[in-house]
Amino acid sequence: MLAKRFVSIFKRSPNPESSSSIKPLEDGVNRSLGRKAVSFVLITVTGGVALSALDDLAIYRSCSSKAIEKARNNQAVIDAIGEPIAKGPWYNASLAVAHKRHSLSCTFPVSGPQGTGILQLKAVRNGEDSWIPFLRPRDWDILIMDALLHVPENEGKQKTLRINLTEKFAPAACVSCTDCQPPEKR
């Protein structure tokens, strides 16, 4: 239905001065050109959406694999939900990218033999933009990462734990800048 409306845009209005023998040939050429244009636009849009979805999936996989490794190496998470810790399905995750795909916010489910949970993280990408980002894995620095874990207790109750998995960095020593020159006024 939508394609027919697009094709009608490309049709020329009938000209009463043209001969009847030329009209069917021109009408067929116009319809063919309109159909090709509509097909091209639809294929281009579909390809763009598919490419964006594949890029988001690649971002999710690279970032979530780094996050799951952090969770597997954290003793508090292991004590809460047990080992092995498994990442949940990708379709239960949420991913928000910003700043030309240089920062992201991601939430995905995890599970273990003793409980389940959700990992929430915010990360920034290291490195430069490349022409073919699908062939190279991206390196992400996780800035903030929390685990919300649901552990069943006796009597059917669940205990919810919040564990901060962000690495604690010692603040850098404050060094005054003596090499800097103030900008010159013109």
Side-chain angles (χ1 to χ4, degrees):
M1 180 83 177
L2 184 61
K4 288 182 181 180
R5 288 188 184 191
F6 275 120
V7 171
S8 68
I9 292 171
F10 292 110
K11 285 186 180 179
R12 290 186 188 170
S13 61
N15 188 358
E17 298 168 1
S18 66
S19 70
S20 62
S21 63
I22 298 175
K23 185 177 179 183
L25 180 62
E26 286 180 359
D27 202 21
V29 170
N30 288 339
R31 284 186 183 179
S32 175
L33 181 63
R35 286 181 181 156
K36 286 180 183 177
V38 169
S39 296
F40 176 75
V41 168
L42 289 176
I43 288 171
T44 303
V45 169
T46 303
V49 169
L51 195 59
S52 177
L54 286 174
D55 191 32
D56 286 350
L57 184 60
I59 289 171
Y60 166 73
R61 290 204 176 202
S62 64
C63 192
S64 66
S65 63
K66 192 169 186 177
I68 200 75
E69 282 303 314
K70 276 186 152 186
R72 287 177 179 153
N73 293 331
N74 188 295
Q75 192 60 41
V77 174
I78 292 170
D79 292 342
I81 62 174
E83 280 188 303
I85 298 172
K87 182 170 48 170
W90 62 268
Y91 49 83
N92 283 342
S94 70
L95 179 74
V97 292
H99 304 291
K100 296 182 182 177
R101 300 191 182 276
H102 282 279
S103 65
L104 72 88
S105 176
C106 183
T107 303
F108 62 93
V110 292
S111 62
Q114 300 169 359
T116 61
I118 296 172
L119 290 182
Q120 299 174 330
L121 62 105
K122 295 191 185 303
V124 293
R125 184 175 73 183
N126 287 330
E128 302 173 6
D129 288 332
S130 65
W131 287 96
I132 306 174
F134 306 110
L135 300 179
R136 285 187 3 198
R138 295 178 175 154
D139 185 29
W140 293 92
D141 279 339
I142 297 175
L143 302 176
I144 301 170
M145 185 169 156
D146 289 329
L148 299 173
L149 306 174
H150 308 288
V151 182
E153 288 186 333
N154 296 338
E155 302 171 11
K157 295 180 181 178
Q158 279 196 353
K159 181 169 75 171
T160 302
L161 303 171
R162 180 182 204 108
I163 300 172
N164 186 346
L165 300 172
T166 307
E167 294 176 356
K168 306 290 188 232
F169 295 108
C174 184
V175 179
S176 63
C177 181
T178 57
D179 296 334
C180 297
Q181 300 291 329
E184 295 179 19
K185 293 184 180 179
R186 295 183 186 198

